[in-house]
Amino acid sequence: MASNVLIKNTDAPKKNAARVKQEAEEPVRPKKKGFSLFALLDKYANVDALFEEGVPLKYMPRVLFLTGITLLYIGNTHFAVKTIRQIDKVKVEVEDLRADYSTLKSEYMEASKQSEVARNVAPLGLEESSRPPYQVIVSPDEY
């Protein structure tokens, strides 16, 4: 059946009388036992008295200032945590680079020894001299 078809309701009142609205009963909530911060604030701080006549605008500059300071504090904390994480990453990189540097330095020191150099140039036909070096003396009038 189509939803736009009128069906006569037999339970509807037959005269023009004001309908009485039934009051909805609020469900009874069992009280929870335990600590509640909001219940404690409601009990000891009478905040409702502040808002009886509306929002007190004389406190707005202070509230906005404190809100701004709080946001700056939170942002600064996030920035500090981010910086600490970056420092930790860089420390790990520096340790890796220091280890690489030490390894390369020891390899270079080993390769620059006279015996290692002689062994590496032997396939090129170069050999170590067994005679000590001598000094060539040129007289000044030769040029």
Side-chain angles (χ1 to χ4, degrees):
M1 182 152 59
S3 62
N4 60 357
V5 177
L6 273 174
I7 299 173
K8 189 170 184 178
N9 191 357
T10 56
D11 296 337
K14 304 219 183 220
K15 52 185 167 177
N16 290 335
R19 293 186 183 174
V20 179
K21 215 179 206 183
Q22 295 178 356
E23 293 183 14
E25 292 182 16
E26 292 184 23
V28 178
R29 294 181 187 163
K31 288 194 174 189
K32 295 180 182 177
K33 292 182 180 179
F35 178 75
S36 172
L37 177 65
F38 295 111
L40 188 68
L41 283 174
D42 192 31
K43 182 177 178 183
Y44 291 110
N46 191 6
V47 180
D48 293 336
L50 287 175
F51 298 107
E52 283 178 354
E53 298 172 5
V55 178
L57 293 178
K58 66 181 181 179
Y59 298 119
M60 279 311 220
R62 291 184 185 118
V63 169
L64 291 176
F65 177 73
L66 289 175
T67 304
I69 294 292
T70 304
L71 289 176
L72 285 174
Y73 179 74
I74 291 170
N76 188 28
T77 304
H78 285 294
F79 179 73
V81 168
K82 180 180 160 186
T83 305
I84 289 171
R85 287 182 182 156
Q86 288 176 348
I87 289 171
D88 289 341
K89 285 181 184 178
V90 170
K91 278 184 181 178
V92 169
E93 276 186 49
V94 167
E95 289 174 5
D96 290 342
L97 290 174
R98 184 176 288 130
D100 290 343
Y101 168 75
S102 299
T103 304
L104 290 174
K105 184 178 178 183
S106 67
E107 287 175 2
Y108 174 70
M109 293 298 284
E110 180 69 28
S112 65
K113 288 183 180 177
Q114 184 179 355
S115 59
E116 289 295 317
V117 171
R119 188 173 1 140
N120 289 337
V121 296
L124 299 173
L126 298 174
E127 55 187 50
E128 197 174 347
S129 176
S130 58
R131 290 183 295 163
Y134 59 92
Q135 186 176 5
V136 177
I137 299 174
V138 178
S139 61
D141 61 342
E142 212 171 292
Y143 281 104

